Short mmCIF file of all heavy atoms in Angstrom, two decimals:
data_model
loop_
_atom_site.label_atom_id
_atom_site.label_comp_id
_atom_site.label_asym_id
_atom_site.label_seq_id
_atom_site.Cartn_x
_atom_site.Cartn_y
_atom_site.Cartn_z
N ARG A 129 -90.78 -27.58 -24.53
CA ARG A 129 -91.35 -27.21 -25.82
C ARG A 129 -90.68 -26.02 -26.44
O ARG A 129 -90.47 -26.04 -27.66
CB ARG A 129 -92.90 -26.99 -25.59
CG ARG A 129 -93.74 -28.24 -25.40
CD ARG A 129 -95.20 -27.89 -25.47
NE ARG A 129 -95.64 -27.04 -24.46
CZ ARG A 129 -96.04 -27.34 -23.20
NH1 ARG A 129 -95.93 -28.63 -22.86
NH2 ARG A 129 -96.43 -26.49 -22.31
N VAL A 130 -90.40 -25.00 -25.63
CA VAL A 130 -89.79 -23.85 -26.18
C VAL A 130 -88.44 -24.20 -26.74
O VAL A 130 -88.04 -23.78 -27.84
CB VAL A 130 -89.75 -22.68 -25.12
CG1 VAL A 130 -88.81 -21.57 -25.62
CG2 VAL A 130 -91.08 -22.17 -24.86
N LEU A 131 -87.58 -24.88 -25.97
CA LEU A 131 -86.27 -25.22 -26.34
C LEU A 131 -86.32 -26.09 -27.62
O LEU A 131 -85.54 -25.90 -28.59
CB LEU A 131 -85.48 -25.92 -25.25
CG LEU A 131 -85.16 -25.04 -24.01
CD1 LEU A 131 -84.51 -25.97 -22.95
CD2 LEU A 131 -84.22 -23.94 -24.40
N LEU A 132 -87.18 -27.05 -27.72
CA LEU A 132 -87.31 -27.88 -28.90
C LEU A 132 -87.77 -27.14 -30.13
O LEU A 132 -87.44 -27.45 -31.26
CB LEU A 132 -88.17 -29.05 -28.60
CG LEU A 132 -87.69 -30.11 -27.58
CD1 LEU A 132 -88.72 -31.26 -27.40
CD2 LEU A 132 -86.35 -30.62 -28.09
N SER A 133 -88.53 -26.07 -29.86
CA SER A 133 -89.02 -25.25 -31.03
C SER A 133 -87.89 -24.49 -31.69
O SER A 133 -87.96 -24.05 -32.87
CB SER A 133 -90.06 -24.18 -30.60
OG SER A 133 -89.52 -23.16 -29.90
N LEU A 134 -86.73 -24.47 -31.06
CA LEU A 134 -85.55 -23.70 -31.60
C LEU A 134 -84.71 -24.64 -32.47
O LEU A 134 -83.90 -24.18 -33.22
CB LEU A 134 -84.66 -23.17 -30.44
CG LEU A 134 -85.36 -22.25 -29.45
CD1 LEU A 134 -84.36 -21.89 -28.32
CD2 LEU A 134 -85.81 -21.00 -30.10
N VAL A 135 -84.89 -25.92 -32.37
CA VAL A 135 -84.03 -26.94 -32.99
C VAL A 135 -84.09 -26.87 -34.53
O VAL A 135 -83.14 -26.64 -35.17
CB VAL A 135 -84.33 -28.37 -32.50
CG1 VAL A 135 -83.56 -29.42 -33.28
CG2 VAL A 135 -84.00 -28.54 -30.96
N ALA A 136 -85.29 -27.00 -35.10
CA ALA A 136 -85.45 -27.07 -36.55
C ALA A 136 -84.98 -25.72 -37.19
O ALA A 136 -84.13 -25.87 -38.11
CB ALA A 136 -86.88 -27.40 -36.92
N PRO A 137 -85.40 -24.59 -36.75
CA PRO A 137 -84.89 -23.39 -37.43
C PRO A 137 -83.42 -23.17 -37.30
O PRO A 137 -82.72 -22.64 -38.25
CB PRO A 137 -85.69 -22.27 -36.83
CG PRO A 137 -86.27 -22.82 -35.56
CD PRO A 137 -86.39 -24.26 -35.72
N THR A 138 -82.86 -23.62 -36.07
CA THR A 138 -81.34 -23.39 -35.93
C THR A 138 -80.68 -24.32 -36.86
O THR A 138 -79.63 -23.97 -37.50
CB THR A 138 -81.02 -23.68 -34.50
OG1 THR A 138 -81.65 -22.71 -33.68
CG2 THR A 138 -79.50 -23.65 -34.25
N ARG A 139 -81.14 -25.54 -36.94
CA ARG A 139 -80.43 -26.58 -37.85
C ARG A 139 -80.43 -26.15 -39.32
O ARG A 139 -79.62 -26.55 -40.07
CB ARG A 139 -80.96 -27.94 -37.63
CG ARG A 139 -80.56 -28.54 -36.32
CD ARG A 139 -81.18 -29.92 -36.15
NE ARG A 139 -80.72 -30.49 -34.93
CZ ARG A 139 -81.28 -31.63 -34.42
NH1 ARG A 139 -82.19 -32.28 -35.10
NH2 ARG A 139 -80.85 -32.11 -33.25
N ARG A 140 -81.45 -25.37 -39.69
CA ARG A 140 -81.51 -24.88 -41.04
C ARG A 140 -80.58 -23.70 -41.38
O ARG A 140 -80.41 -23.32 -42.48
CB ARG A 140 -82.97 -24.48 -41.39
CG ARG A 140 -83.89 -25.60 -41.59
CD ARG A 140 -85.19 -25.20 -42.16
NE ARG A 140 -85.98 -24.33 -41.40
CZ ARG A 140 -86.91 -24.65 -40.46
NH1 ARG A 140 -87.24 -25.95 -40.34
NH2 ARG A 140 -87.60 -23.77 -39.77
N GLU A 141 -80.07 -23.07 -40.29
CA GLU A 141 -79.25 -21.86 -40.51
C GLU A 141 -77.91 -22.24 -41.11
O GLU A 141 -77.40 -23.29 -40.95
CB GLU A 141 -78.97 -21.24 -39.17
CG GLU A 141 -80.05 -20.49 -38.54
CD GLU A 141 -79.66 -19.76 -37.25
OE1 GLU A 141 -78.57 -19.16 -37.26
OE2 GLU A 141 -80.43 -19.90 -36.28
N ALA A 142 -77.45 -21.29 -41.99
CA ALA A 142 -76.12 -21.47 -42.57
C ALA A 142 -75.08 -21.63 -41.48
O ALA A 142 -75.04 -20.89 -40.50
CB ALA A 142 -75.81 -20.32 -43.47
N GLY A 143 -74.19 -22.63 -41.63
CA GLY A 143 -73.06 -22.78 -40.75
C GLY A 143 -73.38 -23.64 -39.54
O GLY A 143 -72.50 -23.92 -38.70
N ALA A 144 -74.63 -24.07 -39.33
CA ALA A 144 -74.98 -24.99 -38.21
C ALA A 144 -74.41 -26.32 -38.42
O ALA A 144 -74.76 -26.99 -39.39
CB ALA A 144 -76.46 -24.96 -37.95
N LEU A 145 -73.59 -26.81 -37.52
CA LEU A 145 -73.05 -28.12 -37.52
C LEU A 145 -73.79 -29.08 -36.61
O LEU A 145 -74.05 -30.24 -36.97
CB LEU A 145 -71.52 -28.12 -37.20
CG LEU A 145 -70.60 -27.34 -38.13
CD1 LEU A 145 -69.23 -27.29 -37.55
CD2 LEU A 145 -70.65 -27.86 -39.52
N GLU A 146 -74.06 -28.58 -35.44
CA GLU A 146 -74.73 -29.43 -34.42
C GLU A 146 -75.60 -28.48 -33.60
O GLU A 146 -75.23 -27.33 -33.28
CB GLU A 146 -73.75 -30.00 -33.44
CG GLU A 146 -72.68 -30.94 -34.04
CD GLU A 146 -73.21 -32.36 -34.30
OE1 GLU A 146 -74.20 -32.75 -33.69
OE2 GLU A 146 -72.60 -33.05 -35.16
N TYR A 147 -76.79 -28.96 -33.24
CA TYR A 147 -77.61 -28.27 -32.29
C TYR A 147 -78.53 -29.33 -31.63
O TYR A 147 -79.32 -29.98 -32.26
CB TYR A 147 -78.51 -27.20 -33.06
CG TYR A 147 -79.19 -26.27 -32.09
CD1 TYR A 147 -78.59 -25.23 -31.49
CD2 TYR A 147 -80.52 -26.58 -31.63
CE1 TYR A 147 -79.22 -24.37 -30.58
CE2 TYR A 147 -81.21 -25.72 -30.79
CZ TYR A 147 -80.53 -24.70 -30.25
OH TYR A 147 -81.11 -23.79 -29.32
N HIS A 148 -78.33 -29.50 -30.36
CA HIS A 148 -79.03 -30.51 -29.52
C HIS A 148 -79.56 -29.96 -28.29
O HIS A 148 -78.90 -29.17 -27.63
CB HIS A 148 -78.10 -31.67 -29.36
CG HIS A 148 -77.43 -32.26 -30.55
ND1 HIS A 148 -78.18 -32.99 -31.42
CD2 HIS A 148 -76.24 -32.12 -31.08
CE1 HIS A 148 -77.37 -33.39 -32.44
NE2 HIS A 148 -76.22 -32.81 -32.26
N VAL A 149 -80.65 -30.47 -27.83
CA VAL A 149 -81.24 -30.15 -26.54
C VAL A 149 -81.43 -31.50 -25.86
O VAL A 149 -81.94 -32.45 -26.38
CB VAL A 149 -82.57 -29.46 -26.68
CG1 VAL A 149 -83.25 -29.23 -25.32
CG2 VAL A 149 -82.47 -28.11 -27.40
N HIS A 150 -80.96 -31.56 -24.51
CA HIS A 150 -81.03 -32.71 -23.74
C HIS A 150 -81.81 -32.42 -22.44
O HIS A 150 -81.72 -31.30 -21.94
CB HIS A 150 -79.71 -33.22 -23.34
CG HIS A 150 -78.80 -33.46 -24.43
ND1 HIS A 150 -78.66 -34.71 -25.13
CD2 HIS A 150 -78.00 -32.64 -25.16
CE1 HIS A 150 -77.79 -34.56 -26.12
NE2 HIS A 150 -77.37 -33.38 -26.09
N ARG A 151 -82.56 -33.36 -21.95
CA ARG A 151 -83.16 -33.23 -20.63
C ARG A 151 -82.47 -34.27 -19.67
O ARG A 151 -82.37 -35.38 -20.00
CB ARG A 151 -84.65 -33.50 -20.74
CG ARG A 151 -85.47 -33.12 -19.49
CD ARG A 151 -86.94 -33.09 -19.77
NE ARG A 151 -87.69 -32.62 -18.59
CZ ARG A 151 -89.02 -32.36 -18.68
NH1 ARG A 151 -89.72 -32.65 -19.78
NH2 ARG A 151 -89.61 -31.98 -17.61
N ASP A 152 -82.10 -33.77 -18.55
CA ASP A 152 -81.34 -34.53 -17.53
C ASP A 152 -82.27 -35.68 -17.05
O ASP A 152 -83.44 -35.47 -16.72
CB ASP A 152 -80.92 -33.68 -16.39
CG ASP A 152 -79.94 -34.37 -15.51
OD1 ASP A 152 -80.36 -35.25 -14.70
OD2 ASP A 152 -78.74 -34.07 -15.51
N ARG A 153 -81.76 -36.86 -17.09
CA ARG A 153 -82.51 -38.03 -16.72
C ARG A 153 -82.86 -38.04 -15.20
O ARG A 153 -83.97 -38.45 -14.72
CB ARG A 153 -81.82 -39.39 -17.02
CG ARG A 153 -81.69 -39.64 -18.50
CD ARG A 153 -80.89 -40.90 -18.76
NE ARG A 153 -80.63 -41.08 -20.16
CZ ARG A 153 -81.38 -41.69 -21.01
NH1 ARG A 153 -82.54 -42.26 -20.62
NH2 ARG A 153 -81.08 -41.79 -22.26
N ALA A 154 -81.93 -37.52 -14.38
CA ALA A 154 -82.12 -37.60 -12.96
C ALA A 154 -82.80 -36.35 -12.45
O ALA A 154 -83.39 -36.37 -11.36
CB ALA A 154 -80.75 -37.68 -12.24
N ASP A 155 -82.77 -35.29 -13.19
CA ASP A 155 -83.31 -34.00 -12.72
C ASP A 155 -84.11 -33.40 -13.92
O ASP A 155 -83.63 -32.72 -14.79
CB ASP A 155 -82.22 -33.02 -12.33
CG ASP A 155 -82.73 -31.68 -11.90
OD1 ASP A 155 -83.97 -31.41 -12.00
OD2 ASP A 155 -81.88 -30.85 -11.47
N PRO A 156 -85.43 -33.74 -14.02
CA PRO A 156 -86.26 -33.34 -15.21
C PRO A 156 -86.44 -31.79 -15.27
O PRO A 156 -86.98 -31.34 -16.28
CB PRO A 156 -87.58 -34.03 -14.95
CG PRO A 156 -87.61 -34.32 -13.51
CD PRO A 156 -86.19 -34.51 -13.07
N CYS A 157 -85.98 -31.02 -14.39
CA CYS A 157 -86.00 -29.54 -14.42
C CYS A 157 -84.79 -29.02 -15.17
O CYS A 157 -84.78 -27.85 -15.58
CB CYS A 157 -86.04 -28.89 -13.04
SG CYS A 157 -87.57 -29.22 -12.16
N LEU A 158 -83.80 -29.88 -15.40
CA LEU A 158 -82.49 -29.37 -15.98
C LEU A 158 -82.41 -29.77 -17.44
O LEU A 158 -82.57 -30.93 -17.83
CB LEU A 158 -81.32 -29.96 -15.19
CG LEU A 158 -79.94 -29.55 -15.70
CD1 LEU A 158 -79.74 -28.02 -15.50
CD2 LEU A 158 -78.84 -30.27 -14.94
#
Side-chain angles (χ1 to χ4, degrees):
R129 283 190 299 275
V130 169
L131 292 174
L132 291 177
S133 76
L134 305 175
V135 173
T138 297
R139 288 180 178 172
R140 285 192 298 267
E141 286 183 47
L145 299 173
E146 301 278 340
Y147 190 82
H148 304 285
V149 175
H150 305 268
R151 193 166 183 175
D152 191 285
R153 292 177 189 270
D155 181 355
C157 293
L158 182 63

